[in-house]
Amino acid sequence: MDYRKIISEAIGDPLVTPADITTAAEGHGDYALPCFKYARELRKSPQAIASDFAARLGKHPAIERTEVAGGYLNFYLDRRTRAEEALKDVRERAVLAGIRGRNAGKTVCLDYSSINIAKPFHIGHLMSTAIGGSLYRIYKHLGWNAVGINHLGDWGTQFGKLLAAYDLWGDKTKKLTLNDMLELYVRFTDESEKDPALAERGRHEFLRIERGEPDAVATYELFKRTTLEEVDKVYARLGIVFDSYNGEAFYNDKMAPIVEELKAKGLTEVSDGALIVRLDDYGMPPCLITRSDGASLYATRDLAAADYRARTYHFNKCLYVVATQQNLHFRQLFKVLELMGREWAKDLVHVQFGMVSYEGKPLSTRHGHVVFLADVIENTVAKAREIIEEKNPDLPDKAEVAESVGVGAVMFFALGTQRVKDVDFNYDRVLSFDGETAPYLQYTHARCRSVLAKAEEGGEYDPALLTDDESYAVVKMLEGYNDAVTDAAEKYEPSIVARYLIDLAQAFNRFYIAGRIITEDKALTAARLALTRSVADVLKEGLSLLLIKAPDRM
């Protein structure tokens, strides 16, 4: 129920809009109307205006009473009505149905994870993978057609270097692994610092791939196939899906028309042999389109990719979930597309995020200082199993629960904090059952399910029995769920859902501690069970939007 709209309509003055209604200060009702902004036009004091509005307030069953406090008109809602509406919406989903109806036919493309072929899938990739995967679920939940894109880093001279390293030192008698490729790449990097001729050999080998020489292409495809086989196992554990794996190589034959169009529109010039688009008037350095040797660059491929996505998917939004360090690249990319006359350039968004460190240490692929994401997940699940063995040794399906808790802890680490902040992964912190973590949310959900399993079916309930302070606090939290999810989509910020779930769980646990849910009073029990069931359902669905499972027992 939209109480801001109800209040503004009840006042019945065209000056007052739903946007003017705010949440009331603690102890002063549920909502408030600050009247200061109307003083000049109405030529009255804010307190007099508040009194006038209160006097002519129309009756509405949702509004119990009002009070004037200085220049504020405070509103106390009818708790019974509010409880009934909040639980009804969780059960019947009418509000969500309306949101989905408004979003029907809209398409959002999400470019996330975008791993590099033949390089490790390490914890540094977690942020893009988790944020993009969560936004994918959030948009689908809200009725959008979501297109998940893994823009693979599958082109460039690094593949020539790896091919040379594989020819020189690779063991052709055993199955190649991602770890083998990392070791070969690091060795090539170290050896080429001593022998510059190796770098030239790497460039030559990549030229062979570009020319399509069968043996070079076969080895390149082996690198690609091996990488995807291993990272798909990680994606499966995390619940990550994609609709497209079109990477840089896919756009090789789509770049030339873009470059020709840039030239034809007079947007390019040659500088030291390189083709550039000057962006001085927009406070940015030039955008490099091709190098002096004619080779394409990231910008060239990304221009072609954006154009292809617009033509293929006809998106309303296209999100790039990429680290903050690439901010200049995307500002240049979006501006060049705008200068090309692409009207949809305004719908491109760089969803940036901060850096990830591991137990206080930075990551470096180039010199092999990496922490494989698969290892992090495996270790977190193992530690979760140890905690479960200690807390609940008789729990059935401990391995399955440990998997849910361990993976959930990893995902909440990535999604529980505002994405622009730098974060440091720490096992003890992410697995805490007491802090603002996934295990805390999962445990609260399991607590709800445990209560419901012990009780007889509650059946019909009287919402008037949910008007005490602890119950009402939970009711108000339930009411905000759809707004939290919608806000997360609008701001590209899954942490809004995470923060909401923490607040809901804390409100429920205060309610749980304040009094027994299953009592000798059948009517009171039915009401409290209905509230508990609503909390459990919202926690489960909200966690799912964060790619986290909610076990029924822990």
Side-chain angles (χ1 to χ4, degrees), residues 474-532:
V474 178
V475 164
K476 288 192 290 185
M477 285 305 308
L478 288 171
E479 188 181 86
Y481 174 56
N482 289 315
D483 286 343
V485 179
T486 301
D487 201 26
E490 290 175 351
K491 295 176 180 175
Y492 321 113
E493 186 65 83
S495 70
I496 292 173
V497 175
R499 179 70 261 170
Y500 165 82
L501 294 177
I502 291 291
D503 291 343
L504 173 62
Q506 290 173 343
F508 174 79
N509 284 316
R510 286 191 291 270
F511 158 79
Y512 179 85
I513 292 168
R516 293 174 58 198
I517 294 173
I518 302 174
T519 73
E520 293 180 1
D521 184 332
K522 289 188 177 181
L524 181 61
T525 298
R528 290 181 174 177
L529 286 174
L531 187 63
T532 301

Side-chain angles (χ1 to χ4, degrees), residues 213-229:
E213 296 184 18
D215 62 328
V217 171
T219 306
Y220 163 71
E221 291 294 340
L222 171 65
F223 297 156
K224 189 170 179 177
R225 186 170 60 254
T226 299
T227 304
L228 290 177
E229 284 175 357

Side-chain angles (χ1 to χ4, degrees), residues 339-413:
L339 295 174
M340 291 176 72
R342 300 300 194 265
E343 186 274 334
W344 43 261
K346 64 178 176 26
D347 302 316
L348 306 177
V349 182
H350 176 203
V351 179
Q352 51 194 293
F353 54 86
M355 294 293 293
V356 178
S357 56
Y358 177 81
E359 301 283 357
K361 297 177 182 178
L363 305 169
S364 171
T365 305
R366 180 178 174 83
H367 293 288
H369 302 151
V370 297
V371 179
F372 283 84
L373 184 54
D375 292 340
V376 171
I377 295 170
E378 199 61 49
N379 290 339
T380 311
V381 169
K383 290 178 184 293
R385 178 67 181 263
E386 292 173 7
I387 294 170
I388 291 168
E389 289 281 6
E390 180 182 339
K391 286 181 174 288
N392 192 356
D394 297 325
L395 178 72
D397 305 319
K398 281 184 282 193
E400 183 179 339
V401 174
E403 176 77 9
S404 297
V405 172
V407 172
V410 172
M411 297 308 282
F412 196 86
F413 159 76

Side-chain angles (χ1 to χ4, degrees), residues 130 133-134 137 237-240 401-416 430 436-443 445 494 497-499 501-502 536-551 554:
S134 178
R137 287 197 181 186
R237 292 185 84 173
L238 297 180
I240 298 291
V401 174
E403 176 77 9
S404 297
V405 172
V407 172
V410 172
M411 297 308 282
F412 196 86
F413 159 76
L415 300 170
V430 303
E436 297 180 355
T437 63
Y440 171 73
L441 293 174
Q442 291 169 316
Y443 186 74
H445 171 266
V497 175
R499 179 70 261 170
L501 294 177
I502 291 291
D537 291 346
V538 169
L539 283 175
K540 183 172 185 176
E541 183 175 277
L543 283 168
S544 175
L545 296 179
L546 300 178
L547 302 145
I548 298 170
K549 293 181 179 178
M554 284 179 63

Side-chain angles (χ1 to χ4, degrees), residues 181-194:
M181 289 187 280
L182 172 61
E183 290 176 357
L184 288 169
Y185 185 78
V186 171
R187 182 174 179 180
F188 188 91
T189 299
D190 293 341
E191 295 291 338
S192 52
E193 289 176 357
K194 305 171 193 172

